[in-house]
Amino acid sequence: MTYPYPDDLVQAQRDWLATYRQLAEPRPRHTTVLRRRLLDLSAQVQWHPFWSTPPGTPAARVELRRLAHHQEQRGTRAA
């Protein structure tokens, strides 16, 4: 199923993935900055108003992560 994700929510999830990937690198630099960024992005995704709408189900959260990961791999912008 496709959900009507707002562009800012998809972008926040993509930014979360990129930040997480940076932290997962061997001997990352600026770990404190990256961890703070990850926490901020986590809050943006978790508390986005989209989740209070009918399409904001647990399945939609999984699909958002899949969509963001897919877009990251393809190098595309939010749909």
Side-chain angles (χ1 to χ4, degrees), residues 15-50:
D15 292 346
W16 189 97
L17 287 168
T19 304
Y20 187 86
R21 199 176 294 90
Q22 286 179 296
L23 273 170
E25 291 176 2
R27 298 170 55 155
R29 302 186 78 177
H30 311 291
T31 57
T32 300
V33 172
L34 291 172
R35 287 178 180 156
R36 286 181 181 154
R37 175 102 172 113
L38 197 61
L39 284 170
D40 181 53
L41 290 166
S42 294
Q44 286 180 40
V45 171
Q46 176 68 26
W47 301 110
H48 194 280
F50 173 77

mmCIF file of all heavy atoms in Angstrom, residues 15-50:
data_model
loop_
_atom_site.group_PDB
_atom_site.id
_atom_site.type_symbol
_atom_site.label_atom_id
_atom_site.label_comp_id
_atom_site.label_asym_id
_atom_site.label_seq_id
_atom_site.Cartn_x
_atom_site.Cartn_y
_atom_site.Cartn_z
ATOM 1 N N ASP A 15 17.211 11.753 5.991
ATOM 2 C CA ASP A 15 18.307 12.367 6.745
ATOM 3 C C ASP A 15 18.703 11.483 7.930
ATOM 4 O O ASP A 15 19.893 11.359 8.249
ATOM 5 C CB ASP A 15 17.916 13.755 7.235
ATOM 6 C CG ASP A 15 17.755 14.766 6.110
ATOM 7 O OD1 ASP A 15 18.200 14.486 4.978
ATOM 8 O OD2 ASP A 15 17.166 15.831 6.378
ATOM 9 N N TRP A 16 17.706 10.853 8.561
ATOM 10 C CA TRP A 16 17.980 9.936 9.666
ATOM 11 C C TRP A 16 18.845 8.779 9.186
ATOM 12 O O TRP A 16 19.830 8.425 9.832
ATOM 13 C CB TRP A 16 16.663 9.424 10.249
ATOM 14 C CG TRP A 16 16.813 8.637 11.509
ATOM 15 C CD1 TRP A 16 16.666 9.101 12.778
ATOM 16 C CD2 TRP A 16 17.134 7.241 11.626
ATOM 17 N NE1 TRP A 16 16.887 8.075 13.677
ATOM 18 C CE2 TRP A 16 17.181 6.931 13.000
ATOM 19 C CE3 TRP A 16 17.393 6.236 10.700
ATOM 20 C CZ2 TRP A 16 17.474 5.650 13.467
ATOM 21 C CZ3 TRP A 16 17.695 4.959 11.168
ATOM 22 C CH2 TRP A 16 17.723 4.683 12.537
ATOM 23 N N LEU A 17 18.477 8.196 8.036
ATOM 24 C CA LEU A 17 19.254 7.082 7.492
ATOM 25 C C LEU A 17 20.693 7.500 7.185
ATOM 26 O O LEU A 17 21.635 6.772 7.491
ATOM 27 C CB LEU A 17 18.597 6.544 6.211
ATOM 28 C CG LEU A 17 17.324 5.740 6.383
ATOM 29 C CD1 LEU A 17 16.639 5.527 5.031
ATOM 30 C CD2 LEU A 17 17.627 4.412 7.042
ATOM 31 N N ALA A 18 20.861 8.670 6.588
ATOM 32 C CA ALA A 18 22.198 9.154 6.248
ATOM 33 C C ALA A 18 23.032 9.394 7.501
ATOM 34 O O ALA A 18 24.220 9.038 7.552
ATOM 35 C CB ALA A 18 22.099 10.424 5.412
ATOM 36 N N THR A 19 22.429 9.980 8.522
ATOM 37 C CA THR A 19 23.136 10.241 9.770
ATOM 38 C C THR A 19 23.505 8.939 10.465
ATOM 39 O O THR A 19 24.630 8.771 10.953
ATOM 40 C CB THR A 19 22.272 11.122 10.700
ATOM 41 O OG1 THR A 19 21.924 12.319 10.009
ATOM 42 C CG2 THR A 19 23.009 11.469 11.973
ATOM 43 N N TYR A 20 22.592 8.000 10.484
ATOM 44 C CA TYR A 20 22.857 6.700 11.090
ATOM 45 C C TYR A 20 24.012 6.007 10.373
ATOM 46 O O TYR A 20 24.884 5.419 11.007
ATOM 47 C CB TYR A 20 21.592 5.839 11.040
ATOM 48 C CG TYR A 20 21.728 4.539 11.789
ATOM 49 C CD1 TYR A 20 21.462 4.482 13.147
ATOM 50 C CD2 TYR A 20 22.125 3.379 11.140
ATOM 51 C CE1 TYR A 20 21.592 3.289 13.846
ATOM 52 C CE2 TYR A 20 22.257 2.192 11.820
ATOM 53 C CZ TYR A 20 21.991 2.148 13.177
ATOM 54 O OH TYR A 20 22.125 0.975 13.860
ATOM 55 N N ARG A 21 24.007 6.095 9.051
ATOM 56 C CA ARG A 21 25.070 5.486 8.253
ATOM 57 C C ARG A 21 26.425 6.104 8.600
ATOM 58 O O ARG A 21 27.430 5.408 8.702
ATOM 59 C CB ARG A 21 24.767 5.639 6.767
ATOM 60 C CG ARG A 21 25.534 4.679 5.897
ATOM 61 C CD ARG A 21 25.173 4.758 4.427
ATOM 62 N NE ARG A 21 23.853 4.375 4.032
ATOM 63 C CZ ARG A 21 22.741 5.127 3.930
ATOM 64 N NH1 ARG A 21 22.742 6.295 4.192
ATOM 65 N NH2 ARG A 21 21.603 4.697 3.533
ATOM 66 N N GLN A 22 26.458 7.432 8.800
ATOM 67 C CA GLN A 22 27.703 8.100 9.172
ATOM 68 C C GLN A 22 28.204 7.612 10.528
ATOM 69 O O GLN A 22 29.402 7.412 10.717
ATOM 70 C CB GLN A 22 27.503 9.611 9.221
ATOM 71 C CG GLN A 22 27.397 10.256 7.861
ATOM 72 C CD GLN A 22 27.168 11.747 7.995
ATOM 73 O OE1 GLN A 22 26.136 12.158 8.513
ATOM 74 N NE2 GLN A 22 28.123 12.528 7.552
ATOM 75 N N LEU A 23 27.292 7.437 11.478
ATOM 76 C CA LEU A 23 27.672 6.945 12.799
ATOM 77 C C LEU A 23 28.160 5.500 12.753
ATOM 78 O O LEU A 23 28.967 5.091 13.586
ATOM 79 C CB LEU A 23 26.503 7.042 13.772
ATOM 80 C CG LEU A 23 26.348 8.361 14.497
ATOM 81 C CD1 LEU A 23 25.030 8.411 15.235
ATOM 82 C CD2 LEU A 23 27.504 8.597 15.458
ATOM 83 N N ALA A 24 27.678 4.734 11.798
ATOM 84 C CA ALA A 24 28.042 3.325 11.694
ATOM 85 C C ALA A 24 29.399 3.112 11.033
ATOM 86 O O ALA A 24 29.938 2.003 11.077
ATOM 87 C CB ALA A 24 26.966 2.573 10.918
ATOM 88 N N GLU A 25 29.963 4.157 10.450
ATOM 89 C CA GLU A 25 31.277 4.029 9.813
ATOM 90 C C GLU A 25 32.336 3.749 10.878
ATOM 91 O O GLU A 25 32.204 4.183 12.025
ATOM 92 C CB GLU A 25 31.633 5.323 9.076
ATOM 93 C CG GLU A 25 30.802 5.583 7.864
ATOM 94 C CD GLU A 25 31.126 6.922 7.217
ATOM 95 O OE1 GLU A 25 32.041 7.626 7.700
ATOM 96 O OE2 GLU A 25 30.453 7.251 6.241
ATOM 97 N N PRO A 26 33.391 3.047 10.488
ATOM 98 C CA PRO A 26 34.481 2.838 11.448
ATOM 99 C C PRO A 26 35.112 4.177 11.846
ATOM 100 O O PRO A 26 35.404 5.001 10.986
ATOM 101 C CB PRO A 26 35.486 1.974 10.679
ATOM 102 C CG PRO A 26 34.739 1.450 9.498
ATOM 103 C CD PRO A 26 33.621 2.399 9.223
ATOM 104 N N ARG A 27 35.246 4.379 13.135
ATOM 105 C CA ARG A 27 35.876 5.580 13.690
ATOM 106 C C ARG A 27 35.279 6.873 13.119
ATOM 107 O O ARG A 27 35.981 7.686 12.517
ATOM 108 C CB ARG A 27 37.372 5.533 13.454
ATOM 109 C CG ARG A 27 38.024 4.356 14.151
ATOM 110 C CD ARG A 27 39.440 4.145 13.762
ATOM 111 N NE ARG A 27 40.203 5.363 13.978
ATOM 112 C CZ ARG A 27 41.491 5.412 14.182
ATOM 113 N NH1 ARG A 27 42.177 4.300 14.211
ATOM 114 N NH2 ARG A 27 42.121 6.541 14.357
ATOM 115 N N PRO A 28 33.964 7.066 13.313
ATOM 116 C CA PRO A 28 33.332 8.288 12.775
ATOM 117 C C PRO A 28 33.848 9.540 13.478
ATOM 118 O O PRO A 28 34.263 9.490 14.639
ATOM 119 C CB PRO A 28 31.850 8.069 13.065
ATOM 120 C CG PRO A 28 31.832 7.165 14.240
ATOM 121 C CD PRO A 28 33.043 6.274 14.100
ATOM 122 N N ARG A 29 33.832 10.641 12.762
ATOM 123 C CA ARG A 29 34.228 11.923 13.325
ATOM 124 C C ARG A 29 32.973 12.655 13.786
ATOM 125 O O ARG A 29 31.898 12.448 13.252
ATOM 126 C CB ARG A 29 34.954 12.739 12.273
ATOM 127 C CG ARG A 29 36.191 12.001 11.743
ATOM 128 C CD ARG A 29 36.954 12.865 10.844
ATOM 129 N NE ARG A 29 37.693 13.772 11.740
ATOM 130 C CZ ARG A 29 38.548 14.669 11.335
ATOM 131 N NH1 ARG A 29 38.793 14.815 10.072
ATOM 132 N NH2 ARG A 29 39.175 15.442 12.190
ATOM 133 N N HIS A 30 33.133 13.512 14.768
ATOM 134 C CA HIS A 30 32.037 14.358 15.263
ATOM 135 C C HIS A 30 30.855 13.527 15.751
ATOM 136 O O HIS A 30 29.700 13.818 15.441
ATOM 137 C CB HIS A 30 31.579 15.339 14.174
ATOM 138 C CG HIS A 30 32.703 16.077 13.533
ATOM 139 N ND1 HIS A 30 33.442 17.033 14.195
ATOM 140 C CD2 HIS A 30 33.236 15.991 12.286
ATOM 141 C CE1 HIS A 30 34.354 17.510 13.385
ATOM 142 N NE2 HIS A 30 34.272 16.896 12.223
ATOM 143 N N THR A 31 31.145 12.495 16.528
ATOM 144 C CA THR A 31 30.072 11.597 16.970
ATOM 145 C C THR A 31 29.017 12.301 17.822
ATOM 146 O O THR A 31 27.833 11.977 17.712
ATOM 147 C CB THR A 31 30.637 10.388 17.749
ATOM 148 O OG1 THR A 31 31.400 10.862 18.856
ATOM 149 C CG2 THR A 31 31.478 9.508 16.859
ATOM 150 N N THR A 32 29.435 13.261 18.637
ATOM 151 C CA THR A 32 28.456 13.955 19.482
ATOM 152 C C THR A 32 27.468 14.720 18.616
ATOM 153 O O THR A 32 26.247 14.658 18.836
ATOM 154 C CB THR A 32 29.152 14.912 20.463
ATOM 155 O OG1 THR A 32 30.038 14.150 21.291
ATOM 156 C CG2 THR A 32 28.143 15.646 21.329
ATOM 157 N N VAL A 33 27.963 15.400 17.610
ATOM 158 C CA VAL A 33 27.094 16.149 16.691
ATOM 159 C C VAL A 33 26.161 15.194 15.956
ATOM 160 O O VAL A 33 24.956 15.458 15.821
ATOM 161 C CB VAL A 33 27.940 16.975 15.696
ATOM 162 C CG1 VAL A 33 27.070 17.606 14.626
ATOM 163 C CG2 VAL A 33 28.742 18.033 16.430
ATOM 164 N N LEU A 34 26.700 14.082 15.487
ATOM 165 C CA LEU A 34 25.883 13.113 14.756
ATOM 166 C C LEU A 34 24.815 12.484 15.655
ATOM 167 O O LEU A 34 23.679 12.296 15.230
ATOM 168 C CB LEU A 34 26.766 12.027 14.143
ATOM 169 C CG LEU A 34 27.661 12.469 12.996
ATOM 170 C CD1 LEU A 34 28.633 11.357 12.614
ATOM 171 C CD2 LEU A 34 26.837 12.897 11.793
ATOM 172 N N ARG A 35 25.173 12.186 16.886
ATOM 173 C CA ARG A 35 24.186 11.603 17.811
ATOM 174 C C ARG A 35 23.071 12.589 18.128
ATOM 175 O O ARG A 35 21.897 12.217 18.185
ATOM 176 C CB ARG A 35 24.872 11.140 19.090
ATOM 177 C CG ARG A 35 25.680 9.896 18.894
ATOM 178 C CD ARG A 35 26.375 9.484 20.158
ATOM 179 N NE ARG A 35 27.144 8.274 19.914
ATOM 180 C CZ ARG A 35 28.191 7.920 20.624
ATOM 181 N NH1 ARG A 35 28.578 8.657 21.646
ATOM 182 N NH2 ARG A 35 28.830 6.820 20.349
ATOM 183 N N ARG A 36 23.442 13.835 18.331
ATOM 184 C CA ARG A 36 22.411 14.857 18.584
ATOM 185 C C ARG A 36 21.499 15.012 17.371
ATOM 186 O O ARG A 36 20.286 15.157 17.499
ATOM 187 C CB ARG A 36 23.066 16.187 18.928
ATOM 188 C CG ARG A 36 23.634 16.201 20.308
ATOM 189 C CD ARG A 36 24.258 17.529 20.646
ATOM 190 N NE ARG A 36 24.825 17.491 21.989
ATOM 191 C CZ ARG A 36 25.814 18.230 22.398
ATOM 192 N NH1 ARG A 36 26.367 19.116 21.582
ATOM 193 N NH2 ARG A 36 26.266 18.131 23.623
ATOM 194 N N ARG A 37 22.098 14.993 16.190
ATOM 195 C CA ARG A 37 21.306 15.100 14.954
ATOM 196 C C ARG A 37 20.355 13.915 14.837
ATOM 197 O O ARG A 37 19.190 14.061 14.481
ATOM 198 C CB ARG A 37 22.241 15.169 13.745
ATOM 199 C CG ARG A 37 21.562 15.151 12.411
ATOM 200 C CD ARG A 37 21.493 16.515 11.809
ATOM 201 N NE ARG A 37 21.004 16.440 10.432
ATOM 202 C CZ ARG A 37 19.834 16.934 10.073
ATOM 203 N NH1 ARG A 37 19.083 17.567 10.934
ATOM 204 N NH2 ARG A 37 19.432 16.833 8.832
ATOM 205 N N LEU A 38 20.855 12.730 15.145
ATOM 206 C CA LEU A 38 20.021 11.534 15.077
ATOM 207 C C LEU A 38 18.845 11.618 16.051
ATOM 208 O O LEU A 38 17.715 11.273 15.698
ATOM 209 C CB LEU A 38 20.868 10.294 15.364
ATOM 210 C CG LEU A 38 20.286 8.953 14.965
ATOM 211 C CD1 LEU A 38 20.030 8.872 13.471
ATOM 212 C CD2 LEU A 38 21.211 7.835 15.399
ATOM 213 N N LEU A 39 19.105 12.107 17.244
ATOM 214 C CA LEU A 39 18.014 12.281 18.215
ATOM 215 C C LEU A 39 16.987 13.295 17.726
ATOM 216 O O LEU A 39 15.774 13.082 17.850
ATOM 217 C CB LEU A 39 18.574 12.713 19.570
ATOM 218 C CG LEU A 39 19.246 11.613 20.377
ATOM 219 C CD1 LEU A 39 19.969 12.212 21.583
ATOM 220 C CD2 LEU A 39 18.235 10.582 20.817
ATOM 221 N N ASP A 40 17.460 14.405 17.180
ATOM 222 C CA ASP A 40 16.551 15.424 16.661
ATOM 223 C C ASP A 40 15.701 14.872 15.521
ATOM 224 O O ASP A 40 14.485 15.069 15.485
ATOM 225 C CB ASP A 40 17.353 16.645 16.187
ATOM 226 C CG ASP A 40 16.458 17.738 15.656
ATOM 227 O OD1 ASP A 40 15.523 18.146 16.374
ATOM 228 O OD2 ASP A 40 16.692 18.194 14.512
ATOM 229 N N LEU A 41 16.337 14.161 14.605
ATOM 230 C CA LEU A 41 15.597 13.585 13.480
ATOM 231 C C LEU A 41 14.618 12.512 13.956
ATOM 232 O O LEU A 41 13.509 12.395 13.417
ATOM 233 C CB LEU A 41 16.568 13.015 12.450
ATOM 234 C CG LEU A 41 17.367 14.066 11.684
ATOM 235 C CD1 LEU A 41 18.530 13.412 10.944
ATOM 236 C CD2 LEU A 41 16.468 14.837 10.716
ATOM 237 N N SER A 42 15.018 11.743 14.953
ATOM 238 C CA SER A 42 14.113 10.726 15.505
ATOM 239 C C SER A 42 12.846 11.377 16.048
ATOM 240 O O SER A 42 11.737 10.878 15.827
ATOM 241 C CB SER A 42 14.811 9.942 16.617
ATOM 242 O OG SER A 42 15.880 9.193 16.112
ATOM 243 N N ALA A 43 13.011 12.486 16.748
ATOM 244 C CA ALA A 43 11.851 13.204 17.290
ATOM 245 C C ALA A 43 10.990 13.775 16.164
ATOM 246 O O ALA A 43 9.757 13.719 16.231
ATOM 247 C CB ALA A 43 12.310 14.316 18.222
ATOM 248 N N GLN A 44 11.633 14.315 15.126
ATOM 249 C CA GLN A 44 10.871 14.865 14.001
ATOM 250 C C GLN A 44 10.012 13.794 13.350
ATOM 251 O O GLN A 44 8.842 14.031 13.027
ATOM 252 C CB GLN A 44 11.815 15.445 12.946
ATOM 253 C CG GLN A 44 12.441 16.750 13.321
ATOM 254 C CD GLN A 44 13.362 17.244 12.210
ATOM 255 O OE1 GLN A 44 13.037 17.127 11.032
ATOM 256 N NE2 GLN A 44 14.505 17.777 12.597
ATOM 257 N N VAL A 45 10.591 12.619 13.146
ATOM 258 C CA VAL A 45 9.846 11.526 12.510
ATOM 259 C C VAL A 45 8.770 10.996 13.458
ATOM 260 O O VAL A 45 7.614 10.838 13.066
ATOM 261 C CB VAL A 45 10.807 10.394 12.064
ATOM 262 C CG1 VAL A 45 10.026 9.174 11.605
ATOM 263 C CG2 VAL A 45 11.727 10.887 10.958
ATOM 264 N N GLN A 46 9.147 10.737 14.701
ATOM 265 C CA GLN A 46 8.209 10.145 15.671
ATOM 266 C C GLN A 46 6.991 11.022 15.930
ATOM 267 O O GLN A 46 5.869 10.515 16.029
ATOM 268 C CB GLN A 46 8.945 9.881 16.995
ATOM 269 C CG GLN A 46 8.065 9.366 18.108
ATOM 270 C CD GLN A 46 7.549 7.959 17.864
ATOM 271 O OE1 GLN A 46 8.165 7.181 17.144
ATOM 272 N NE2 GLN A 46 6.411 7.637 18.446
ATOM 273 N N TRP A 47 7.172 12.320 16.049
ATOM 274 C CA TRP A 47 6.086 13.210 16.447
ATOM 275 C C TRP A 47 5.507 14.017 15.294
ATOM 276 O O TRP A 47 4.778 14.972 15.510
ATOM 277 C CB TRP A 47 6.550 14.133 17.577
ATOM 278 C CG TRP A 47 6.997 13.338 18.756
ATOM 279 C CD1 TRP A 47 8.275 13.203 19.215
ATOM 280 C CD2 TRP A 47 6.189 12.521 19.597
ATOM 281 N NE1 TRP A 47 8.292 12.353 20.289
ATOM 282 C CE2 TRP A 47 7.034 11.922 20.552
ATOM 283 C CE3 TRP A 47 4.832 12.234 19.627
ATOM 284 C CZ2 TRP A 47 6.557 11.058 21.529
ATOM 285 C CZ3 TRP A 47 4.363 11.372 20.611
ATOM 286 C CH2 TRP A 47 5.213 10.793 21.541
ATOM 287 N N HIS A 48 5.786 13.609 14.073
ATOM 288 C CA HIS A 48 5.240 14.326 12.915
ATOM 289 C C HIS A 48 3.708 14.229 12.933
ATOM 290 O O HIS A 48 3.141 13.179 13.263
ATOM 291 C CB HIS A 48 5.795 13.726 11.615
ATOM 292 C CG HIS A 48 5.549 14.589 10.434
ATOM 293 N ND1 HIS A 48 4.336 14.628 9.787
ATOM 294 C CD2 HIS A 48 6.349 15.460 9.801
ATOM 295 C CE1 HIS A 48 4.406 15.486 8.786
ATOM 296 N NE2 HIS A 48 5.626 16.008 8.773
ATOM 297 N N PRO A 49 3.015 15.320 12.591
ATOM 298 C CA PRO A 49 1.544 15.313 12.594
ATOM 299 C C PRO A 49 0.911 14.236 11.710
ATOM 300 O O PRO A 49 -0.226 13.820 11.954
ATOM 301 C CB PRO A 49 1.174 16.712 12.073
ATOM 302 C CG PRO A 49 2.362 17.552 12.346
ATOM 303 C CD PRO A 49 3.551 16.643 12.283
ATOM 304 N N PHE A 50 1.642 13.746 10.719
ATOM 305 C CA PHE A 50 1.109 12.698 9.849
ATOM 306 C C PHE A 50 0.636 11.486 10.651
ATOM 307 O O PHE A 50 -0.358 10.848 10.306
ATOM 308 C CB PHE A 50 2.165 12.256 8.833
ATOM 309 C CG PHE A 50 1.741 11.072 8.011
ATOM 310 C CD1 PHE A 50 0.854 11.221 6.961
ATOM 311 C CD2 PHE A 50 2.216 9.799 8.295
ATOM 312 C CE1 PHE A 50 0.450 10.126 6.204
ATOM 313 C CE2 PHE A 50 1.821 8.698 7.553
ATOM 314 C CZ PHE A 50 0.940 8.868 6.502
#
